[in-house]
């Protein structure tokens, strides 16, 4: 959890409408989940939606967060050697959705408010905020004395420019500003957002990198290539596809002896091959790696001088079907494939007995999960019924494009293809790079079937709107349903948990019965390997990104 400038957790002392310190998730987040977050891994693009990022790690497992054991007082200094699973893509937080980018940018940029470990939201670059009685005006009092990495003091003009950049451009959160009537900076340390109507997801969106704050002059750029934020670490250098380096911000506004930042430098070496990355880690070349493959969990657990860390759930893995291309433009063809797959067998093969199958995009344990809908069981008779209804009694063929960087998805694809083959469906697996997936599958929608995953599903608007509504930022499987769209649009205006949950349950029924283009497979956690001398909590509340400020090296 991030702390205030004195290294203390913010405390709650709100009146009926004034919010200072912790904001209860029942009020703004709708009790996203008590058991974990998930995270968005898969896409890029503009539009609207909530949550974050793309590009999964292929990790898996179940259980709660694993706390890092620490001993003694934190030490300052040293260089963290990090073996990364996926190369950093871009450096503009308002544009870049890759989880690999988010993991470093989380430490460089900051937001007006921040997500906490219990999914509440606290002021961060703000000291307090208030919401009007009609839920349409948000007023933020900003911290004084916060400086950007270029030495300039942050004021409301920078916040205003950052938000206007997104509002007036084509960025990830641009669609959210359809509900904004006016942005105001009445003085240097006050920032106001006037909404056109109650819009429950807006505060949650403010806690993501998609609305992080940058200097006003940077906000004038169409794309930021040299990041400058207010965070605990500063950008130093980047070698594309090779490495990324950031250094401690000596002037960080939130610095303290208890909470850092401590490390002098963080060097991320890009090692996409999971086996090479793990071997390098076990040979002491790295202090830390992300993206431990499920098959390698026991190696890390049994190795000396290192530990395994996990956060569950991290990401939702899905099989995507292009509903604008044959054969998946036909609902019965989609249902035939659904009935052909043994989801438990797929998860077992890919995750080595860990993870959790699902038929809902809602985070496990959250009120948004439909209590009566689960994954369809494999049924070859039902497969044939739907093939007949689709006019495809002899089966069909389709290409199956799989991002090769993610071993769990590659293994899953092989089991899915075998299941489908036994049912008369031929899925031609084509392994592609992540960059090719982004360009061909996501951007150009040139695919029939694919797999990928989504990160940061800690708020239901992400799960149900961002990649399943035509106006969502990550929409690409081309499945549309007017009744579904109306339900998730209405849910965005409602703050009552029970009312919102009922709408999401109805939406889940439609997703399931109409066999939306996203066929959900499983939830999986983040899996990390860390040397014993690497101290501090690993991971961030969203289950996807990393926060290094309070991490340190005991050597």
């Amino acid at each position: 959890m991030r702390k205030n400038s004195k290294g203390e957790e913010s405390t709650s002392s709100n009146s009926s409408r004034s919010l200072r310190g912790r904001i209860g998730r029942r009020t703004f987040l709708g009790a996203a989940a008590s058991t974990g977050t998930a995270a968005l891994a898969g896409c890029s693009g503009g539009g609207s939606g909530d949550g974050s990022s793309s590009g999964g790690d292929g990790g898996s497992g179940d259980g709660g967060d694993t706390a890092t054991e620490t001993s003694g007082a934190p030490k300052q200094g040293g260089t963290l050697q990090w073996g990364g699973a996926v190369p950093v893509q871009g450096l503009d937080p308002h544009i870049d959705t890759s989880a690999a980018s988010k993991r470093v940018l989380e430490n460089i940029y900051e937001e007006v408010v921040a997500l906490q470990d219990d999914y509440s939201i606290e002021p961060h670059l703000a000291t307090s905020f208030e919401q009007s009685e009609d839920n349409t005006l948000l007023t933020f009092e900003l911290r004084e004395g916060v400086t950007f990495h270029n030495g300039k003091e942050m004021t409301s003009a920078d916040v205003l420019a950052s938000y206007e950049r997104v509002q007036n451009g084509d960025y990830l959160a641009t669609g959210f500003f359809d509900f904004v009537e006016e942005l105001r900076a009445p003085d240097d340390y006050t920032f106001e957002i006037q909404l056109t109507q109650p819009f429950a997801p807006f505060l949650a969106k403010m806690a993501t990198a998609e609305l992080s704050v940058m200097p006003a002059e940077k906000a004038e750029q169409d794309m930021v290539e040299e990041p400058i934020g207010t965070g605990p670490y500063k950008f130093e250098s980047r070698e594309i596809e090779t490495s990324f380096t950031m250094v401690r911000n000596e002037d960080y506004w939130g610095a303290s002896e208890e909470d850092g930042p401590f490390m002098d430098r963080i060097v991320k070496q890009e090692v996409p091959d999971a086996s090479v990355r793990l071997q390098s880690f076990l040979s002491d070349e790295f202090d830390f790696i992300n993206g431990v493959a499920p098959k390698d969990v026991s190696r890390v657990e049994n190795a000396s001088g290192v530990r395994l860390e996990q956060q569950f759930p991290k990401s939702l893995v899905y099989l995507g079907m292009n509903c604008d291309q044959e054969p998946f433009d036909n609902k019965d063809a989609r249902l035939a494939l659904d009935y052909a797959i043994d989801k438990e067998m797929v998860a077992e093969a890919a995750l080595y007995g860990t993870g959790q199958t699902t038929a809902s995009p809602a985070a496990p344990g959250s009120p948004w999960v439909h209590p009566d809908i689960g994954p369809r069981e494999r049924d070859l008779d039902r497969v044939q019924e739907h093939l007949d209804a689709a006019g495809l009694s002899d089966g069909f063929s389709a290409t199956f494009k799989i991002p090769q960087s993610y071993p769990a998805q590659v293994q899953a694809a092989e089991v899915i293809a075998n299941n489908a083959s036994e049912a008369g469906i031929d899925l031609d697996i084509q392994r592609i790079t992540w960059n090719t997936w982004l360009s061909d599958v996501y951007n150009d929608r040139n695919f029939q079937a694919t797999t990928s995953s989504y990160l940061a599903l800690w708020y239901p608007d992400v799960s149900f709107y961002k990649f399943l509504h035509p106006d969502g930022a990550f929409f690409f499987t081309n499945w549309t349903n007017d009744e579904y769209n109306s339900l998730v649009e209405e849910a965005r205006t409602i703050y009552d948990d029970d009312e919102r949950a009922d709408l999401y349950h109805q939406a889940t029924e439609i997703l399931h019965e109409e066999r939306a283009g996203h066929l959900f497979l499983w939830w999986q956690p983040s899996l990390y390997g860390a040397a014993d001398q690497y101290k501090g909590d690993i991971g961030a509340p969203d289950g996807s990104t990393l926060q290094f400020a309070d991490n340190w090296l005991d050597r």
Side-chain angles (χ1 to χ4, degrees):
M1 176 184 293
R2 285 180 171 170
K3 308 294 195 299
N4 63 25
S5 58
K6 296 181 180 179
E8 301 169 345
E9 293 183 13
S10 300
T11 56
S12 197
S13 59
N14 31 315
S15 62
S16 59
R17 305 304 296 177
S18 177
L19 299 100
R20 298 178 184 275
R22 179 165 297 161
I23 306 305
R25 57 180 172 167
R26 289 190 59 86
T27 307
F28 295 110
L29 297 185
S34 60
T35 58
T37 74
L40 268 179
C43 315
S44 62
S48 67
D50 209 7
S52 107
S53 61
S54 56
D57 291 329
S60 172
D62 53 9
D65 296 352
T66 303
T68 302
E69 293 184 3
T70 59
S71 60
K75 298 178 180 179
Q76 187 161 308
T79 296
L80 178 72
Q81 298 292 344
W82 169 14
V86 180
V88 172
Q89 302 296 310
L91 301 178
D92 191 321
H94 298 162
I95 296 174
D96 296 299
T97 66
S98 165
S101 296
K102 299 288 189 186
R103 289 187 187 103
V104 296
L105 296 179
E106 176 77 5
N107 300 275
I108 294 172
Y109 288 103
E110 295 181 298
E111 294 76 45
V112 176
V113 295
L115 179 68
Q116 306 302 306
D117 291 331
D118 65 352
Y119 312 112
S120 63
I121 292 179
E122 288 188 1
H124 190 62
L125 291 178
T127 58
S128 67
F129 60 92
E130 295 181 355
Q131 184 167 340
S132 64
E133 289 287 347
D134 64 358
N135 296 320
T136 63
L137 176 63
L138 288 169
T139 302
F140 301 85
E141 297 302 324
L142 303 178
R143 293 185 184 276
E144 298 185 29
V146 175
T147 57
F148 288 106
H149 298 155
N150 61 4
K152 171 190 170 184
E153 183 185 11
M154 183 202 76
T155 69
S156 60
D158 301 294
V159 180
L160 179 64
S162 299
Y163 276 53
E164 286 183 337
R165 178 190 195 226
V166 176
Q167 180 183 37
N168 299 323
D170 184 17
Y171 298 93
L172 290 168
T174 296
F176 269 58
F177 287 84
D178 291 344
F179 302 91
V180 173
E181 178 179 308
E182 187 179 9
L183 300 169
R184 298 186 289 263
D187 59 54
D188 283 350
Y189 302 106
T190 304
F191 178 59
E192 297 177 342
I193 301 171
Q194 180 69 59
L195 301 173
T196 58
Q197 65 183 60
F199 184 48
F202 199 89
L203 192 67
K205 174 59 64 178
M206 290 182 64
T208 72
E210 295 167 22
L211 284 177
S212 56
V213 178
M214 59 182 63
E217 60 271 21
K218 281 286 186 180
E220 296 176 357
Q221 300 177 5
D222 291 335
M223 180 179 292
V224 173
E225 296 181 352
E226 183 177 348
I228 294 177
T230 60
Y233 285 89
K234 301 189 295 185
F235 170 72
E236 182 176 82
S237 64
R238 175 194 180 202
E239 296 292 331
I240 296 176
E241 302 290 325
T242 301
S243 66
F244 183 94
T245 301
M246 50 189 172
V247 297
R248 185 173 66 243
N249 177 11
E250 302 285 356
D251 300 315
Y252 182 50
W253 64 268
S256 73
E257 292 183 359
E258 295 83 15
D259 299 306
F262 299 111
M263 296 180 290
D264 292 334
R265 179 174 274 99
I266 298 170
V267 179
K268 182 183 186 236
Q269 300 291 339
E270 312 292 13
V271 190
D273 187 289
S275 296
V276 173
R277 185 170 62 253
L278 177 61
Q279 187 56 49
S280 298
F281 169 65
L282 295 177
S283 300
D284 298 326
E285 294 180 33
F286 297 121
D287 303 300
F288 168 70
I289 59 171
N290 65 301
V292 174
K295 67 181 179 65
D296 294 325
V297 164
S298 61
R299 287 188 66 190
V300 178
E301 289 178 325
N302 295 327
S304 61
V306 302
R307 67 183 186 277
L308 178 76
E309 296 270 342
Q310 64 180 16
Q311 283 182 292
F312 180 85
K314 174 207 119 181
S315 61
L316 173 61
V317 176
Y318 60 91
L319 190 162
M321 297 171 284
N322 191 339
C323 298
D324 268 356
Q325 284 195 19
E326 295 181 349
F328 298 120
D329 58 346
N330 186 302
K331 180 179 79 170
D332 285 294
R334 301 194 297 271
L335 283 166
L337 180 57
D338 196 351
Y339 277 111
I341 300 171
D342 185 328
K343 283 78 172 180
E344 293 293 340
M345 178 188 293
V346 171
E348 176 74 21
L351 306 181
Y352 292 77
T354 59
Q356 179 179 322
T357 58
T358 183
S360 169
S366 74
W368 325 121
V369 177
H370 196 299
D372 301 321
I373 291 181
R376 287 188 170 93
E377 294 186 3
R378 191 175 195 233
D379 188 331
L380 297 186
D381 290 335
R382 298 297 301 274
V383 172
Q384 192 60 51
E385 289 177 15
H386 286 289
L387 287 175
D388 292 343
L392 299 166
S393 297
D394 295 330
F396 61 81
S397 299
T399 57
F400 197 19
K401 296 184 175 181
I402 309 300
Q404 63 187 15
S405 302
Y406 309 122
Q409 291 181 37
V410 172
Q411 182 63 34
E414 293 173 354
V415 177
I416 290 170
N418 288 336
N419 280 176
S421 178
E422 294 171 2
I425 299 172
D426 178 23
L427 295 178
D428 177 21
I429 296 175
Q430 298 178 359
R431 298 189 185 190
I432 58 177
T433 66
W434 178 242
N435 284 338
T436 300
W437 191 96
L438 287 172
S439 61
D440 291 2
V441 176
Y442 178 75
N443 288 326
D444 295 339
R445 303 183 186 182
N446 178 24
F447 75 103
Q448 289 175 290
T450 189
T451 62
S452 192
S453 54
Y454 289 105
L455 303 170
L457 304 183
W458 53 272
Y459 188 69
D461 195 65
V462 185
S463 304
F464 289 91
Y465 191 97
K466 191 168 189 175
F467 58 90
L468 291 165
H469 187 285
D471 293 333
F474 290 167
F475 179 81
F476 80 103
T477 59
N478 302 312
W479 175 81
T480 60
N481 180 283
D482 290 342
E483 184 180 1
Y484 175 88
N485 294 341
S486 295
L487 287 167
V488 297
E489 288 166 7
E490 183 182 355
R492 304 180 109 197
T493 69
I494 294 174
Y495 290 77
D496 180 85
D497 292 350
D498 293 335
E499 289 183 40
R500 193 186 300 115
D502 180 64
L503 295 176
Y504 287 131
H505 293 169
Q506 294 179 54
T508 301
E509 292 171 6
I510 296 172
L511 290 174
H512 193 65
E513 295 306 318
E514 294 299 313
R515 188 53 282 147
H518 282 68
L519 198 168
F520 309 116
L521 295 174
W522 69 70
W523 289 97
Q524 65 187 48
S526 298
L527 289 177
Y528 309 118
D532 283 345
Q533 63 266 29
Y534 178 37
K535 306 295 184 179
D537 292 335
I538 295 176
D542 62 17
S544 167
T545 58
L546 296 166
Q547 294 175 351
F548 293 106
D550 60 355
N551 292 175
W552 53 283
L553 296 168
D554 187 15
R555 64 184 181 209

